[in-house]
Tab-separated table of all heavy atoms in Angstrom:
chain	number	residue	atom	x	y	z
A	245	ASN	N	12.649	30.476	-3.581
A	245	ASN	CA	13.258	29.650	-4.625
A	245	ASN	C	13.526	30.453	-5.887
A	245	ASN	O	14.590	30.333	-6.516
A	245	ASN	CB	12.335	28.473	-4.919
A	245	ASN	CG	12.903	27.557	-5.995
A	245	ASN	OD1	13.890	26.875	-5.776
A	245	ASN	ND2	12.264	27.542	-7.147
A	246	ARG	N	12.556	31.304	-6.235
A	246	ARG	CA	12.727	32.128	-7.427
A	246	ARG	C	13.888	33.116	-7.258
A	246	ARG	O	14.678	33.348	-8.190
A	246	ARG	CB	11.417	32.859	-7.723
A	246	ARG	CG	11.430	33.593	-9.051
A	246	ARG	CD	10.069	34.205	-9.344
A	246	ARG	NE	9.082	33.160	-9.623
A	246	ARG	CZ	8.029	32.905	-8.855
A	246	ARG	NH1	7.821	33.612	-7.758
A	246	ARG	NH2	7.178	31.952	-9.169
A	247	GLU	N	14.011	33.712	-6.071
A	247	GLU	CA	15.117	34.660	-5.826
A	247	GLU	C	16.465	33.954	-5.878
A	247	GLU	O	17.436	34.497	-6.427
A	247	GLU	CB	14.905	35.330	-4.473
A	247	GLU	CG	13.704	36.264	-4.427
A	247	GLU	CD	13.470	36.820	-3.033
A	247	GLU	OE1	14.264	36.461	-2.123
A	247	GLU	OE2	12.516	37.594	-2.847
A	248	ILE	N	16.543	32.759	-5.283
A	248	ILE	CA	17.811	32.023	-5.296
A	248	ILE	C	18.220	31.666	-6.724
A	248	ILE	O	19.387	31.826	-7.117
A	248	ILE	CB	17.683	30.753	-4.433
A	248	ILE	CG1	17.525	31.134	-2.958
A	248	ILE	CG2	18.889	29.842	-4.616
A	248	ILE	CD1	17.258	29.959	-2.057
A	249	LEU	N	17.262	31.210	-7.531
A	249	LEU	CA	17.568	30.849	-8.914
A	249	LEU	C	17.952	32.072	-9.733
A	249	LEU	O	18.829	31.993	-10.608
A	249	LEU	CB	16.362	30.144	-9.536
A	249	LEU	CG	16.015	28.779	-8.935
A	249	LEU	CD1	14.769	28.227	-9.593
A	249	LEU	CD2	17.179	27.808	-9.115
A	250	GLU	N	17.309	33.188	-9.459
A	250	GLU	CA	17.652	34.408	-10.187
A	250	GLU	C	19.082	34.845	-9.864
A	250	GLU	O	19.847	35.249	-10.758
A	250	GLU	CB	16.659	35.516	-9.826
A	250	GLU	CG	16.848	36.799	-10.624
A	250	GLU	CD	16.641	36.591	-12.110
A	250	GLU	OE1	15.818	35.728	-12.484
A	250	GLU	OE2	17.327	37.290	-12.897
A	251	ARG	N	19.445	34.753	-8.573
A	251	ARG	CA	20.824	35.097	-8.204
A	251	ARG	C	21.816	34.128	-8.840
A	251	ARG	O	22.900	34.532	-9.284
A	251	ARG	CB	20.977	35.083	-6.681
A	251	ARG	CG	20.314	36.256	-5.981
A	251	ARG	CD	20.830	36.413	-4.560
A	251	ARG	NE	20.504	35.265	-3.739
A	251	ARG	CZ	19.413	35.159	-2.994
A	251	ARG	NH1	18.533	36.153	-2.984
A	251	ARG	NH2	19.187	34.085	-2.279
A	252	ALA	N	21.440	32.848	-8.901
A	252	ALA	CA	22.340	31.868	-9.519
A	252	ALA	C	22.527	32.164	-10.997
A	252	ALA	O	23.655	32.091	-11.522
A	252	ALA	CB	21.777	30.456	-9.311
A	253	ARG	N	21.445	32.497	-11.692
A	253	ARG	CA	21.572	32.830	-13.113
A	253	ARG	C	22.430	34.079	-13.318
A	253	ARG	O	23.230	34.153	-14.257
A	253	ARG	CB	20.186	33.020	-13.721
A	253	ARG	CG	19.444	31.742	-14.002
A	253	ARG	CD	18.266	31.982	-14.916
A	253	ARG	NE	17.224	32.731	-14.255
A	253	ARG	CZ	16.179	32.187	-13.639
A	253	ARG	NH1	16.053	30.875	-13.616
A	253	ARG	NH2	15.260	32.916	-13.062
A	254	THR	N	22.249	35.044	-12.434
A	254	THR	CA	23.064	36.256	-12.535
A	254	THR	C	24.543	35.943	-12.353
A	254	THR	O	25.403	36.440	-13.107
A	254	THR	CB	22.604	37.286	-11.488
A	254	THR	OG1	21.216	37.575	-11.705
A	254	THR	CG2	23.418	38.562	-11.593
A	255	GLN	N	24.860	35.092	-11.358
A	255	GLN	CA	26.257	34.733	-11.124
A	255	GLN	C	26.836	33.950	-12.292
A	255	GLN	O	27.998	34.145	-12.676
A	255	GLN	CB	26.359	33.910	-9.828
A	255	GLN	CG	26.000	34.666	-8.564
A	255	GLN	CD	26.948	35.832	-8.312
A	255	GLN	OE1	28.131	35.778	-8.656
A	255	GLN	NE2	26.415	36.899	-7.715
A	256	VAL	N	26.008	33.070	-12.874
A	256	VAL	CA	26.483	32.312	-14.042
A	256	VAL	C	26.771	33.251	-15.210
A	256	VAL	O	27.791	33.121	-15.908
A	256	VAL	CB	25.433	31.256	-14.435
A	256	VAL	CG1	25.764	30.643	-15.790
A	256	VAL	CG2	25.382	30.152	-13.382
A	257	GLY	N	25.886	34.211	-15.425
A	257	GLY	CA	26.115	35.169	-16.509
A	257	GLY	C	27.353	36.010	-16.268
A	257	GLY	O	28.137	36.268	-17.204
A	258	ASN	N	27.532	36.449	-15.025
A	258	ASN	CA	28.731	37.238	-14.712
A	258	ASN	C	29.998	36.417	-14.925
A	258	ASN	O	31.016	36.931	-15.438
A	258	ASN	CB	28.666	37.734	-13.266
A	258	ASN	CG	27.544	38.742	-13.061
A	258	ASN	OD1	27.065	39.363	-14.018
A	258	ASN	ND2	27.119	38.907	-11.820
A	259	LEU	N	29.948	35.146	-14.524
A	259	LEU	CA	31.119	34.287	-14.714
A	259	LEU	C	31.406	34.091	-16.191
A	259	LEU	O	32.572	34.081	-16.614
A	259	LEU	CB	30.885	32.940	-14.019
A	259	LEU	CG	32.029	31.921	-14.139
A	259	LEU	CD1	33.307	32.472	-13.510
A	259	LEU	CD2	31.620	30.605	-13.478
A	260	ALA	N	30.344	33.922	-16.990
A	260	ALA	CA	30.544	33.745	-18.429
A	260	ALA	C	31.239	34.953	-19.039
A	260	ALA	O	32.197	34.814	-19.807
A	260	ALA	CB	29.194	33.505	-19.103
A	261	HIS	N	30.778	36.171	-18.708
A	261	HIS	CA	31.416	37.376	-19.243
A	261	HIS	C	32.824	37.524	-18.714
A	261	HIS	O	33.740	37.946	-19.447
A	261	HIS	CB	30.585	38.610	-18.882
A	261	HIS	CG	29.314	38.711	-19.652
A	261	HIS	ND1	29.254	38.963	-21.004
A	261	HIS	CD2	28.014	38.576	-19.243
A	261	HIS	CE1	27.993	38.993	-21.411
A	261	HIS	NE2	27.217	38.756	-20.355
A	262	ALA	N	33.029	37.160	-17.438
A	262	ALA	CA	34.367	37.313	-16.858
A	262	ALA	C	35.378	36.388	-17.515
A	262	ALA	O	36.563	36.737	-17.626
A	262	ALA	CB	34.311	37.046	-15.352
A	263	LEU	N	34.956	35.213	-17.993
A	263	LEU	CA	35.877	34.264	-18.603
A	263	LEU	C	36.032	34.480	-20.104
A	263	LEU	O	37.120	34.287	-20.654
A	263	LEU	CB	35.396	32.832	-18.342
A	263	LEU	CG	35.464	32.353	-16.887
A	263	LEU	CD1	34.873	30.967	-16.752
A	263	LEU	CD2	36.918	32.352	-16.391
A	264	LYS	N	34.957	34.865	-20.765
A	264	LYS	CA	35.014	34.999	-22.215
A	264	LYS	C	35.900	36.166	-22.641
A	264	LYS	O	36.611	36.095	-23.658
A	264	LYS	CB	33.610	35.179	-22.788
A	264	LYS	CG	32.783	33.899	-22.769
A	264	LYS	CD	31.410	34.103	-23.380
A	264	LYS	CE	30.613	32.803	-23.403
A	264	LYS	NZ	29.265	32.986	-24.009
A	265	THR	N	35.860	37.238	-21.886
A	265	THR	CA	36.677	38.403	-22.265
A	265	THR	C	38.171	38.091	-22.220
A	265	THR	O	38.903	38.351	-23.206
A	265	THR	CB	36.337	39.597	-21.354
A	265	THR	OG1	34.944	39.906	-21.496
A	265	THR	CG2	37.179	40.802	-21.733
A	266	PRO	N	38.717	37.522	-21.108
A	266	PRO	CA	40.154	37.172	-21.133
A	266	PRO	C	40.494	36.154	-22.211
A	266	PRO	O	41.575	36.233	-22.818
A	266	PRO	CB	40.384	36.586	-19.729
A	266	PRO	CG	39.320	37.187	-18.881
A	266	PRO	CD	38.125	37.313	-19.781
A	267	LEU	N	39.581	35.196	-22.491
A	267	LEU	CA	39.865	34.223	-23.540
A	267	LEU	C	39.958	34.896	-24.903
A	267	LEU	O	40.807	34.541	-25.733
A	267	LEU	CB	38.773	33.146	-23.557
A	267	LEU	CG	38.845	32.087	-22.447
A	267	LEU	CD1	37.642	31.159	-22.504
A	267	LEU	CD2	40.137	31.272	-22.577
A	268	SER	N	39.080	35.848	-25.138
A	268	SER	CA	39.135	36.573	-26.415
A	268	SER	C	40.438	37.335	-26.538
A	268	SER	O	41.056	37.380	-27.617
A	268	SER	CB	37.952	37.528	-26.522
A	268	SER	OG	36.727	36.814	-26.483
A	269	ILE	N	40.895	37.939	-25.440
A	269	ILE	CA	42.161	38.691	-25.470
A	269	ILE	C	43.328	37.745	-25.746
A	269	ILE	O	44.232	38.053	-26.541
A	269	ILE	CB	42.354	39.436	-24.134
A	269	ILE	CG1	41.274	40.509	-23.984
A	269	ILE	CG2	43.751	40.050	-24.069
A	269	ILE	CD1	41.316	41.217	-22.646
A	270	ILE	N	43.289	36.561	-25.101
A	270	ILE	CA	44.366	35.594	-25.313
A	270	ILE	C	44.419	35.166	-26.777
A	270	ILE	O	45.487	35.066	-27.392
A	270	ILE	CB	44.165	34.379	-24.381
A	270	ILE	CG1	44.406	34.793	-22.936
A	270	ILE	CG2	45.100	33.239	-24.769
A	270	ILE	CD1	44.122	33.696	-21.936
A	271	VAL	N	43.248	34.896	-27.365
A	271	VAL	CA	43.201	34.475	-28.768
A	271	VAL	C	43.714	35.588	-29.677
A	271	VAL	O	44.474	35.348	-30.633
A	271	VAL	CB	41.769	34.064	-29.149
A	271	VAL	CG1	41.664	33.814	-30.646
A	271	VAL	CG2	41.375	32.808	-28.378
A	272	ASN	N	43.303	36.820	-29.393
A	272	ASN	CA	43.754	37.947	-30.216
A	272	ASN	C	45.267	38.139	-30.115
A	272	ASN	O	45.945	38.395	-31.117
A	272	ASN	CB	43.033	39.218	-29.804
A	272	ASN	CG	41.550	39.170	-30.140
A	272	ASN	OD1	41.139	38.443	-31.053
A	272	ASN	ND2	40.737	39.917	-29.414
A	273	GLU	N	45.797	38.032	-28.877
A	273	GLU	CA	47.234	38.206	-28.703
A	273	GLU	C	48.014	37.083	-29.386
A	273	GLU	O	49.111	37.294	-29.904
A	273	GLU	CB	47.583	38.243	-27.202
A	273	GLU	CG	47.123	39.501	-26.493
A	273	GLU	CD	47.794	40.746	-27.044
A	273	GLU	OE1	48.999	40.666	-27.425
A	273	GLU	OE2	47.129	41.793	-27.114
A	274	ALA	N	47.414	35.861	-29.339
A	274	ALA	CA	48.104	34.744	-29.983
A	274	ALA	C	48.175	34.935	-31.487
A	274	ALA	O	49.076	34.410	-32.147
A	274	ALA	CB	47.386	33.425	-29.654
A	275	GLY	N	47.220	35.675	-32.061
A	275	GLY	CA	47.234	35.898	-33.494
A	275	GLY	C	48.093	37.066	-33.930
A	275	GLY	O	48.160	37.366	-35.126
A	276	SER	N	48.750	37.756	-32.987
A	276	SER	CA	49.594	38.908	-33.368
A	276	SER	C	50.867	38.411	-34.059
A	276	SER	O	51.274	37.267	-33.919
A	276	SER	CB	49.950	39.730	-32.124
A	276	SER	OG	50.715	38.953	-31.226
A	277	SER	N	51.492	39.299	-34.763
A	277	SER	CA	52.678	38.943	-35.557
A	277	SER	C	53.905	38.682	-34.694
A	277	SER	O	54.863	38.063	-35.147
A	277	SER	CB	52.994	40.083	-36.543
A	277	SER	OG	53.173	41.303	-35.816
A	278	ASP	N	53.868	39.144	-33.434
A	278	ASP	CA	55.043	38.977	-32.572
A	278	ASP	C	55.161	37.559	-32.031
A	278	ASP	O	56.247	37.134	-31.640
A	278	ASP	CB	54.980	39.949	-31.386
A	278	ASP	CG	54.993	41.399	-31.865
A	278	ASP	OD1	55.524	41.633	-32.965
A	278	ASP	OD2	54.461	42.275	-31.127
A	279	ALA	N	54.084	36.808	-31.984
A	279	ALA	CA	54.129	35.468	-31.408
A	279	ALA	C	54.588	34.453	-32.460
A	279	ALA	O	54.239	34.577	-33.631
A	279	ALA	CB	52.746	35.063	-30.890
A	280	PRO	N	55.379	33.445	-32.018
A	280	PRO	CA	55.791	32.381	-32.940
A	280	PRO	C	54.570	31.641	-33.477
A	280	PRO	O	53.591	31.465	-32.764
A	280	PRO	CB	56.675	31.473	-32.070
A	280	PRO	CG	57.112	32.327	-30.938
A	280	PRO	CD	56.003	33.290	-30.682
A	281	PRO	N	54.591	31.175	-34.736
A	281	PRO	CA	53.415	30.486	-35.308
A	281	PRO	C	53.003	29.236	-34.515
A	281	PRO	O	51.821	28.984	-34.312
A	281	PRO	CB	53.890	30.124	-36.719
A	281	PRO	CG	54.996	31.094	-37.011
A	281	PRO	CD	55.673	31.372	-35.709
A	282	GLU	N	54.026	28.435	-34.090
A	282	GLU	CA	53.666	27.231	-33.347
A	282	GLU	C	52.981	27.569	-32.033
A	282	GLU	O	51.987	26.928	-31.643
A	282	GLU	CB	54.930	26.386	-33.071
A	282	GLU	CG	55.613	25.863	-34.315
A	282	GLU	CD	56.526	26.926	-34.956
A	282	GLU	OE1	56.602	28.044	-34.383
A	282	GLU	OE2	57.124	26.642	-36.010
A	283	LEU	N	53.493	28.588	-31.347
A	283	LEU	CA	52.893	28.980	-30.069
A	283	LEU	C	51.498	29.561	-30.278
A	283	LEU	O	50.574	29.277	-29.506
A	283	LEU	CB	53.798	30.003	-29.371
A	283	LEU	CG	53.289	30.539	-28.030
A	283	LEU	CD1	53.117	29.401	-27.038
A	283	LEU	CD2	54.252	31.607	-27.475
A	284	SER	N	51.362	30.378	-31.338
A	284	SER	CA	50.046	30.962	-31.613
A	284	SER	C	49.013	29.882	-31.898
A	284	SER	O	47.877	29.932	-31.400
A	284	SER	CB	50.141	31.916	-32.806
A	284	SER	OG	51.025	32.982	-32.508
A	285	GLU	N	49.382	28.893	-32.673
A	285	GLU	CA	48.451	27.818	-32.998
A	285	GLU	C	48.070	27.022	-31.745
A	285	GLU	O	46.898	26.647	-31.544
A	285	GLU	CB	49.083	26.893	-34.043
A	285	GLU	CG	48.170	25.751	-34.500
A	285	GLU	CD	46.926	26.261	-35.190
A	285	GLU	OE1	46.973	27.374	-35.765
A	285	GLU	OE2	45.887	25.552	-35.118
A	286	LYS	N	49.084	26.770	-30.912
A	286	LYS	CA	48.824	26.008	-29.690
A	286	LYS	C	47.919	26.788	-28.740
A	286	LYS	O	46.995	26.220	-28.134
A	286	LYS	CB	50.152	25.681	-29.001
A	286	LYS	CG	50.012	24.655	-27.876
A	286	LYS	CD	49.585	23.308	-28.426
A	286	LYS	CE	49.579	22.253	-27.341
A	286	LYS	NZ	49.112	20.942	-27.869
A	287	ILE	N	48.174	28.092	-28.628
A	287	ILE	CA	47.348	28.912	-27.731
A	287	ILE	C	45.916	28.968	-28.240
A	287	ILE	O	44.964	28.848	-27.473
A	287	ILE	CB	47.953	30.319	-27.604
A	287	ILE	CG1	49.267	30.269	-26.831
A	287	ILE	CG2	46.960	31.255	-26.902
A	287	ILE	CD1	49.972	31.610	-26.734
A	288	ARG	N	45.746	29.168	-29.568
A	288	ARG	CA	44.399	29.216	-30.124
A	288	ARG	C	43.682	27.882	-29.934
A	288	ARG	O	42.481	27.820	-29.633
A	288	ARG	CB	44.453	29.576	-31.608
A	288	ARG	CG	44.682	31.061	-31.874
A	288	ARG	CD	44.375	31.411	-33.318
A	288	ARG	NE	45.254	30.704	-34.247
A	288	ARG	CZ	46.421	31.197	-34.672
A	288	ARG	NH1	46.829	32.390	-34.251
A	288	ARG	NH2	47.169	30.523	-35.526
A	289	GLU	N	44.421	26.774	-30.090
A	289	GLU	CA	43.797	25.462	-29.917
A	289	GLU	C	43.320	25.262	-28.479
A	289	GLU	O	42.185	24.837	-28.234
A	289	GLU	CB	44.817	24.379	-30.293
A	289	GLU	CG	44.282	22.958	-30.070
A	289	GLU	CD	45.369	21.925	-30.344
A	289	GLU	OE1	46.364	22.257	-31.028
A	289	GLU	OE2	45.220	20.782	-29.860
A	290	GLN	N	44.181	25.575	-27.523
A	290	GLN	CA	43.817	25.398	-26.122
A	290	GLN	C	42.753	26.399	-25.687
A	290	GLN	O	41.886	26.075	-24.856
A	290	GLN	CB	45.053	25.519	-25.240
A	290	GLN	CG	46.077	24.414	-25.454
A	290	GLN	CD	45.480	23.034	-25.227
A	290	GLN	OE1	44.794	22.798	-24.231
A	290	GLN	NE2	45.717	22.125	-26.175
A	291	ALA	N	42.816	27.603	-26.242
A	291	ALA	CA	41.784	28.594	-25.908
A	291	ALA	C	40.418	28.134	-26.419
A	291	ALA	O	39.387	28.343	-25.757
A	291	ALA	CB	42.149	29.952	-26.492
A	292	ALA	N	40.374	27.500	-27.613
A	292	ALA	CA	39.109	26.976	-28.140
A	292	ALA	C	38.575	25.853	-27.248
A	292	ALA	O	37.369	25.764	-26.986
A	292	ALA	CB	39.312	26.482	-29.574
Side-chain angles (χ1 to χ4, degrees):
N245 180 69
R246 188 175 291 115
E247 292 175 0
I248 292 174
L249 294 177
E250 185 62 32
R251 287 197 297 268
R253 283 195 291 266
T254 302
Q255 294 297 328
V256 169
N258 293 339
L259 180 61
H261 288 292
L263 292 176
K264 287 182 178 180
T265 300
L267 284 175
S268 299
I269 294 175
I270 291 175
V271 172
N272 292 335
E273 289 297 325
S276 63
S277 57
D278 298 334
E282 297 82 1
L283 179 60
S284 298
E285 182 63 27
K286 192 65 174 178
I287 291 177
R288 282 195 298 270
E289 177 185 341
Q290 294 303 313

